[in-house]
Amino acid sequence: MPGTNLTRDEAATRAALLDVTSYSIELDLTTGDKTFGSTTTIEFTSREPGSETFADLVDAIVHEITLNGEPLDPATAYADSRIALPGLQAENVLVVRADCTYSHTGEGLHRFVDPADGRVYLYSQFEVPDARRVFTTFEQPDLKAPFQFTVTAPSSWKVVSNSPSPEPEVDGEKGVWRFEPTKRMSTYITAIVAGEYHEVQHVYNGKHGDIPLGHYCRQSLVEYLDVDELVKLTKQSFEFFEEQFDYPYPFGKYDQLYVPEYNMGAMENAGCVTLRDEYLPRSRQPRSFYEFRASVITHEMAHMWFGDLVTMKWWDDLWLNESFAEWACYFCEAEATEFTDAWTGFTNARKQTGYRADQLPSTHPIAADNVDLHAVEVNFDMITYAKGASVLKQLVAWVGLEPFLAGLRQYFKDHEFGNAEFGDLLLALEKSSGRELQSWAQEWLQTAGVNTLTPAFDLDGDAYSSFTVRQTAHPDHPTLRRHRLGLGLYDEVDGRLVRRDYLEIDVEGPETEVPALVGVKQPDLMLLNDNDHAFAKIRLDERSLATVIGGLSKLDDSLARALVWGAAWDMTRDAEMAATDFVRLVLANIGSETDSWGVTRIPTYAAMAVNAYSAPEGRAALRAEWESGLRDLLLAAEPGSDHQLTFARAYAAVAHSDAALGDVAGLLDGSFVVDGLAVDQDLRWTLITSLAAAGRFGDTEIDAELEKDNTISGKEKAAAARVAQPTAEAKADGWRAILDPGTPNETHRETVFSIFRYGQDEVVAPYLELYLEAAETVIDNLGFHKGSVLLEYGFPKALGSEALVERVDAWLADNDAPKGALRYVQEGRADVLRALAAQKRDAQG
């Protein structure tokens, strides 16, 4: 039975048969707290009268189905999440009346009751295929239509959708909102958000006219809605994109709604963008937090053109939607907002996730072969986002920014409100740039794996007599690609590392000679991929590595430093640099790092080096060195700075000795004061979790803090603190909650992240077998999102050993787990093998 897994072939057959004229959807949100009424009328045409097809509807109680005025028996017509539609006419009207189910997993129509005040909030999340959990659909992106929503809800609520919100027709405690039809769009970008939301309205006065801007959040978060900053970012982004894309914003108004228990960062519903309400922080956050939030805001706005105005025909091109929006958001941030060094942050953080994903056994081409919806779910990852954006950045460098934008502008005009494929964009870019791009697409988009670029040279005295860039690939993914590569030559001058010269070359094949460097004096630092055009791992020669170890902080250019940080971390992950050396590099240089993402992300790499990549026999000493070094950095940091906050969090996370745990307790009770450090609610939970993980705090102390912080954030943080405790009872209680379908999705996520900690081997040991047992059923039992969170982040890597690998190998050879689960188990195994290799390298000193 096909169930919810629509195949690409089925979608193509249905698209060849049908055109959808319109949807009319009536939702009644006043019928209870478990289900809601959903009546859908779809008008559509068929190219083959007399043929049959099906509509989609998931987890519903169907009361009535009529097709062209004739009733269909729900007992026989509705089965396996599909409604059979026989005997089609040239013009058809389908009406389905049903009760659909509220979600607590962040999929479909999610219902949330705020523990702070008891208010109710709903929001929809439909990507990839979950509109069919709310109304009857033809659930595929290439059957676009106008949608007209009519919503019955409590009259005190706000109701928001893709069209502007009308005044409700009020009858007592109920109201009816009749929205105007939308533009033609795909089902997955429609939206309904309803509840007792706080609303603020502004207007953007743009070159093409006025655009109403709405911002919404829960009532309990109103004091944290920094609306002036959000409106400024929104207006800056609109001005930038309307200029660059040369196409008016297509959806009239633009609402941004901050919603609770959200699985994703945000979603590009046309004119009705939903975002995690964690982006409205109640406690102090570093600049990198706000930089990332800005990238999310700009990312979703870019989708209004690329993804919503012009939409992929099938999910094979999902990568293009996300890769483009990812590239565009950093382009906008760097050019139009205060975050002018956004590309440095991209290199320090986001791009690293792409490199990691591309070296896992689950790696796949950017343009994945998504034969069905299950394949889409499995391939929706950081290759889609981070690697794809990196590759587009290189394409822009190769063809030139203006030709690239010219091709985009024509693409928007040619395919407005329709569907397209990657080949359509490639054709537009070839016309605008005059370059042949098919071969580029073949090597970059249809093959997997990351290349490594290494300098190789001979010297004549202190000058190069030859210089070659060598390119290698993993044997499982042997493609050698073309790279647009910058070479930066840096010398130490008056105590600083200064770029003496820069040149760009095209690398192709296993070796690329660089005759321009013959006779040039060897620099103190030769930096491959300077300016970061290429998606490739880079290596530092012996002199360059010694230079940066001796003083990376002497390098003033933040992007160049990010590349060096990335190279050193990659060499550590690849067991080419000792974990101890990387930790010492961080301790020596992170205090003077200026990039916000560098400050916050690089210490997390060092913590992983301590916990996972250090030689077991030297780990205690390295942990003590890391702990002591972080304390020194904390006390030396500028009061109130991002450095200070980051080092406080990292110090609490690593605290292991009695002295360090005493400091953590002192920060919490006020007996240890660090000038300028605000111990606010979120930092308090960090400190409490550290003490709980060390066995210093238990349920009594956690309950006392929760009583002071009776919010959804407090409940989530308390769950993480409970499960961090090093007791068999805490782990068992946490594991039961993780496997319970009733655990709210964000609480589930926090619990999974916290349960299996390094240094708790005795109480974690039983969970390898329990994890493998759960892997066979958890996606079916919890749904794909919650199941994948458990499988990806709940693999007990802290137990990493040869024995663990052997047990996992035996399980992989004989199990009944679905493909999605196998992926995550294989990834966990690969991470353990990488850690074991790094430990051996660290033991060599």
Side-chain angles (χ1 to χ4, degrees):
M1 300 291 281
T4 58
N5 188 28
L6 181 71
T7 71
R8 182 173 55 202
D9 288 344
E10 288 176 318
T13 298
R14 190 161 62 177
L17 179 65
L18 308 181
D19 282 316
V20 184
T21 306
S22 68
Y23 283 83
S24 177
I25 300 143
E26 299 177 18
L27 301 178
D28 187 347
L29 308 180
T30 65
T31 59
D33 60 3
K34 304 297 183 185
T35 63
F36 56 93
S38 174
T39 300
T40 307
T41 302
I42 310 177
E43 297 184 11
F44 63 100
T45 60
S46 170
R47 296 179 182 84
E48 298 179 17
S51 61
E52 62 181 16
T53 189
F54 60 93
D56 304 289
L57 183 63
V58 173
D59 196 18
I61 300 170
V62 177
H63 301 294
E64 184 179 358
I65 306 171
T66 63
L67 178 62
N68 301 322
E70 296 295 324
L72 302 178
D73 182 2
T76 55
Y78 178 54
D80 205 26
S81 301
R82 296 183 174 188
I83 299 173
L85 304 177
L88 298 180
Q89 300 176 12
E91 296 184 357
N92 302 274
V93 179
L94 171 67
V95 181
V96 179
R97 185 171 63 85
D99 288 332
C100 294
T101 306
Y102 286 118
S103 153
H104 298 286
T105 64
E107 299 152 312
L109 189 58
H110 185 92
R111 188 177 191 273
F112 171 79
V113 180
D114 194 336
D117 55 20
R119 297 176 190 267
V120 176
Y121 298 94
L122 315 177
Y123 64 86
S124 62
Q125 172 57 39
F126 293 160
E127 190 179 35
V128 173
D130 288 322
R132 56 191 176 162
R133 296 182 183 274
V134 176
F135 55 92
T136 304
T137 71
F138 295 120
E139 192 75 89
Q140 57 192 82
D142 59 346
L143 287 176
K144 285 189 168 185
F147 292 78
Q148 184 166 25
F149 286 95
T150 300
V151 180
T152 301
S155 57
S156 60
W157 284 15
K158 305 287 185 184
V159 180
V160 184
S161 186
N162 307 95
S163 297
S165 294
E167 286 296 319
E169 302 167 7
V170 177
D171 182 7
E173 295 183 354
K174 293 184 179 182
V176 178
W177 284 256
R178 302 185 190 279
F179 291 87
E180 291 297 314
T182 68
K183 302 281 191 178
R184 288 180 58 82
M185 62 181 62
S186 301
T187 54
Y188 81 95
I189 57 170
T190 61
I192 288 291
V193 183
E196 298 177 74
Y197 286 92
H198 172 72
E199 174 188 7
V200 183
Q201 288 288 334
H202 294 80
V203 176
Y204 165 65
N205 307 115
K207 63 184 290 186
H208 300 293
D210 293 346
I211 301 172
L213 306 177
H215 283 87
Y216 297 78
C217 70
R218 287 184 280 142
Q219 297 291 340
S220 61
L221 296 181
V222 170
E223 64 180 300
Y224 309 120
L225 181 68
D226 51 335
V227 69
D228 290 342
E229 179 63 25
L230 296 171
V231 169
K232 180 182 77 171
L233 275 169
T234 302
K235 290 182 176 181
Q236 288 171 333
S237 303
F238 262 126
E239 183 176 4
F240 182 78
F241 286 135
E242 286 194 329
E243 182 67 31
Q244 300 301 321
F245 296 161
D246 192 30
Y247 190 103
Y249 170 67
F251 298 109
K253 56 89 176 178
Y254 194 74
D255 292 323
Q256 294 173 89
L257 303 105
Y258 291 84
V259 300
E261 295 185 332
Y262 201 57
N263 290 333
M264 306 167 72
M267 177 61 202
E268 66 271 18
N269 311 306
C272 186
V273 174
T274 43
L275 307 96
R276 303 175 62 86
D277 63 16
E278 285 83 357
Y279 293 149
L280 306 178
R282 59 182 185 162
S283 299
R284 185 177 179 275
Q285 299 295 333
R287 179 179 171 84
S288 59
F289 172 93
Y290 294 100
E291 183 174 331
F292 182 71
R293 184 178 72 169
S295 74
V296 173
I297 290 170
T298 54
H299 177 111
E300 303 310 324
M301 187 178 291
H303 271 310
M304 297 299 114
W305 287 267
F306 209 109
D308 292 4
L309 174 67
V310 183
T311 311
M312 64 218 157
K313 284 187 177 179
W314 177 248
W315 301 104
D316 285 345
D317 286 326
L318 175 62
W319 75 270
L320 185 58
N321 270 17
E322 300 303 341
S323 299
F324 176 83
E326 193 82 346
W327 169 81
C329 80
Y330 288 99
F331 178 39
C332 177
E333 268 194 287
E335 299 295 328
T337 78
E338 67 179 88
F339 302 107
T340 54
D341 55 354
W343 285 116
T344 298
F346 177 79
T347 300
N348 265 325
R350 195 71 158 176
K351 195 172 184 180
Q352 293 300 320
T353 66
Y355 286 138
R356 177 183 179 273
D358 212 15
Q359 296 174 81
L360 289 169
S362 55
T363 187
H364 56 84
I366 295 174
D369 184 23
N370 289 324
V371 297
D372 57 25
L373 292 179
H374 286 176
V376 180
E377 292 171 335
V378 170
N379 291 327
F380 200 9
D381 54 21
M382 281 301 113
I383 290 176
T384 304
Y385 285 83
K387 182 181 180 180
S390 302
V391 168
L392 287 182
K393 184 173 185 278
Q394 178 167 257
L395 177 61
V396 172
W398 193 38
V399 305
L401 177 60
E402 285 308 314
F404 183 80
L405 291 173
L408 282 180
R409 292 163 186 159
Q410 191 59 49
Y411 175 78
F412 294 142
K413 292 178 175 65
D414 289 346
H415 301 284
E416 58 185 359
F417 299 107
N419 296 87
E421 296 175 302
F422 175 61
D424 299 312
L425 176 63
L426 206 63
L427 181 61
L429 293 176
E430 285 183 329
K431 288 181 178 178
S432 63
S433 68
R435 285 182 176 265
E436 182 276 320
L437 299 177
Q438 296 292 336
S439 58
W440 174 88
Q442 170 64 34
E443 67 188 43
W444 275 105
L445 304 179
Q446 297 173 14
T447 61
V450 58
N451 300 128
T452 301
L453 304 178
T454 305
F457 52 84
D458 294 308
L459 293 173
D460 183 2
D462 62 357
Y464 293 122
S465 58
S466 68
F467 192 98
T468 300
V469 176
R470 290 179 177 165
Q471 179 178 192
T472 57
H474 191 281
D476 291 344
H477 305 285
T479 301
L480 300 181
R481 303 174 179 86
R482 288 170 288 177
H483 303 265
R484 186 66 177 168
L485 194 72
L487 305 178
L489 286 69
Y490 292 80
D491 294 323
E492 186 168 342
V493 179
D494 298 328
R496 311 308 299 166
L497 278 171
V498 179
R499 190 163 77 179
R500 179 216 314 166
D501 200 2
Y502 172 82
L503 65 154
E504 285 191 6
I505 63 172
D506 289 320
V507 169
E508 186 171 1
E511 294 193 350
T512 300
E513 295 183 1
V514 189
L517 289 178
V518 174
V520 173
K521 181 182 176 181
Q522 182 186 20
D524 293 319
L525 167 63
M526 167 58 75
L527 183 59
L528 302 191
N529 200 26
D530 204 5
N531 285 351
D532 198 27
H533 294 318
F535 183 83
K537 304 197 302 183
I538 62 170
R539 291 295 180 257
L540 302 173
D541 64 70
E542 186 176 350
R543 179 172 179 173
S544 297
L545 185 59
T547 296
V548 298
I549 289 176
L552 177 56
S553 57
K554 298 175 183 178
L555 185 56
D556 290 328
D557 183 84
S558 64
L559 181 56
R561 277 199 316 276
L563 289 162
V564 173
W565 282 122
W569 177 231
D570 189 68
M571 292 170 70
T572 304
R573 281 173 36 83
D574 280 358
E576 297 175 21
M577 182 175 181
T580 298
D581 290 340
F582 180 79
V583 172
R584 290 171 178 166
L585 177 69
V586 174
L587 286 173
N589 294 280
I590 196 64
S592 55
E593 178 58 55
T594 62
D595 176 63
S596 61
W597 271 113
V599 171
T600 53
R601 184 55 64 90
I602 290 165
T604 68
Y605 302 154
M608 183 177 291
V610 171
N611 288 322
Y613 294 167
S614 63
E617 60 271 24
R619 185 167 300 155
L622 185 60
R623 181 182 290 123
E625 184 177 347
W626 176 237
E627 179 187 85
S628 174
L630 283 170
R631 189 181 197 276
D632 292 342
L633 286 165
L634 169 62
L635 296 179
E638 180 183 346
S641 66
D642 286 357
H643 291 76
Q644 185 187 64
L645 177 60
T646 297
F647 300 149
R649 291 172 172 176
Y651 184 46
V654 74
H656 189 75
S657 68
D658 288 341
L661 290 168
D663 284 344
V664 172
L667 287 171
L668 189 63
D669 65 23
S671 61
F672 176 41
V673 177
V674 178
D675 185 29
L677 180 66
V679 183
D680 52 29
Q681 187 60 69
D682 284 349
L683 184 53
R684 286 185 63 83
W685 279 117
T686 298
L687 301 172
I688 288 167
T689 303
S690 172
L691 293 167
R696 298 289 185 95
F697 271 17
D699 287 346
T700 300
E701 291 85 357
I702 295 168
D703 288 342
E705 191 67 23
L706 181 58
E707 190 172 340
K708 301 173 189 175
D709 183 24
N710 186 31
T711 64
I712 188 59
S713 294
K715 289 179 179 294
E716 292 160 1
K717 299 299 183 185
R722 290 186 208 287
V723 79
Q725 297 175 81
T727 67
E729 295 78 13
K731 303 305 180 190
D733 289 346
W735 187 250
R736 280 193 293 271
I738 286 169
L739 295 181
D740 182 357
T743 301
N745 51 318
E746 195 65 19
T747 304
H748 177 268
R749 180 173 177 267
E750 290 281 351
T751 306
V752 170
F753 282 7
S754 187
I755 189 169
F756 299 140
R757 291 171 170 261
Y758 289 94
Q760 297 184 348
D761 292 11
E762 184 176 343
V763 291
V764 172
Y767 289 90
L768 174 61
E769 292 302 325
L770 293 173
Y771 171 92
L772 294 174
E773 178 184 331
E776 301 198 359
T777 59
V778 71
I779 289 178
D780 287 339
N781 292 342
L782 298 183
F784 182 79
H785 178 80
K786 288 172 70 175
S788 63
V789 167
L790 167 56
L791 291 166
E792 181 173 6
Y793 300 106
F795 188 100
K797 298 173 190 175
L799 300 173
S801 65
E802 297 289 353
L804 178 146
V805 173
E806 290 177 6
R807 175 65 188 102
V808 171
D809 285 345
W811 182 88
L812 286 170
D814 183 17
N815 67 85
D816 295 318
K819 182 179 179 181
L822 292 176
R823 167 193 175 143
Y824 292 118
V825 176
Q826 290 164 342
E827 288 181 352
R829 174 187 180 276
D831 283 339
V832 169
L833 285 173
R834 183 178 288 276
L836 294 174
Q839 290 169 19
K840 290 179 181 177
R841 171 64 185 86
D842 192 55
Q844 298 169 8

